[in-house]
């Protein structure tokens, strides 16, 4: 299966790249970003501070530092109340396209907008599935893990 939902914490995933949904200033003070920063070590925050600000239409890539993943894709999460669900779908698609462009073969990302801006988790899961189903028809070699730490173990 080219994608699967897992309950493994993203900072423990042994993949080529992971996705860090963050704020435009790339200050990792809470939630997933704080966990990633803590595991990666201070060099990631230092590099991200130099790269900021992060704009809605870009993904900034850093090393994984002390994480198992070689790369971290930092992405600004859409404000779904103002921008709508389409913005979330486009964000998923942009992440997948960047992974292929960077020749990534395995990618882990969380459900977008749930933790950060309160988007319904089940709907984010549906949007991710819709985008991945279409995307993977053209790019079947990309293996994607969607981390949902609330997903029951199979």
């Amino acid at each position: 299966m080219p994608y699967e939902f897992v309950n493994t914490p993203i900072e423990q995933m042994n993949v080529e790249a992971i996705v860090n949904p963050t704020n435009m200033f790339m200050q990792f003070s809470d939630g997933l970003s704080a966990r990633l920063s803590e595991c990666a070590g201070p060099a990631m925050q230092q590099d991200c501070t130099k790269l900021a600000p992060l704009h809605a239409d870009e993904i900034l890539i850093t090393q994984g530092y002390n994480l198992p993943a070689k790369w971290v894709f930092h992405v600004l999460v859409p404000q779904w109340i103002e921008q709508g669900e389409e913005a979330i779908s486009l964000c998923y698609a942009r992440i997948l396209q960047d992974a292929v462009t960077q020749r990534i073969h395995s990618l882990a990302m969380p459900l977008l907008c749930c933790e950060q801006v309160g988007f319904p988790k089940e709907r984010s899961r549906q949007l991710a599935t819709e985008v991945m189903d279409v995307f993977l028809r053209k790019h079947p070699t990309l293996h994607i893990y969607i981390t949902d730490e609330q997903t029951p173990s199979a």
Side-chain angles (χ1 to χ4, degrees):
M1 179 177 209
Y3 70 87
E4 61 184 288
F5 290 87
V6 297
N7 64 357
T8 305
I10 197 167
E11 65 271 18
Q12 295 175 12
M13 296 290 300
N14 189 13
V15 293
E16 286 181 81
I18 60 175
V19 175
N20 176 29
T22 189
N23 58 62
M24 72 181 297
F25 301 108
M26 298 174 70
Q27 294 298 311
F28 309 140
S29 58
D30 61 6
L32 176 58
S33 291
R35 286 188 358 232
L36 290 176
S37 180
E38 182 179 328
C39 293
M44 185 170 81
Q45 180 64 76
Q46 292 166 356
D47 285 353
C48 287
T49 299
K50 293 175 193 172
L51 294 169
L54 177 61
H55 300 284
D57 60 344
E58 69 182 336
I59 295 173
L60 295 176
I61 303 171
T62 64
Q63 297 174 46
Y65 307 95
N66 297 329
L67 294 163
K70 184 174 182 179
W71 306 106
V72 179
F73 287 26
H74 304 276
V75 60
L76 184 62
V77 294
Q79 298 299 312
W80 69 275
I81 293 173
E82 294 88 16
Q83 298 171 311
E85 290 184 357
E86 185 176 339
I88 298 170
S89 293
L90 290 172
C91 190
Y92 278 120
R94 189 171 62 252
I95 291 166
L96 299 178
Q97 186 57 57
D98 272 21
V100 169
T101 300
Q102 297 296 322
R103 294 187 168 96
I104 300 296
H105 294 98
S106 60
L107 173 76
M109 64 180 161
L111 291 171
L112 296 179
C113 298
C114 300
E115 176 184 314
Q116 304 87 357
V117 294
F119 189 72
K121 184 180 278 194
E122 201 49 47
R123 183 63 183 138
S124 185
R125 186 181 177 111
Q126 290 170 343
L127 294 173
T129 299
E130 291 168 9
V131 170
M132 290 184 296
D133 284 342
V134 171
F135 189 85
L136 290 170
R137 286 184 202 133
K138 293 183 181 178
H139 305 283
T141 60
L142 178 61
H143 196 102
I144 307 162
Y145 299 91
I146 309 300
T147 60
D148 176 0
E149 295 173 40
Q150 302 304 313
T151 301
S153 297

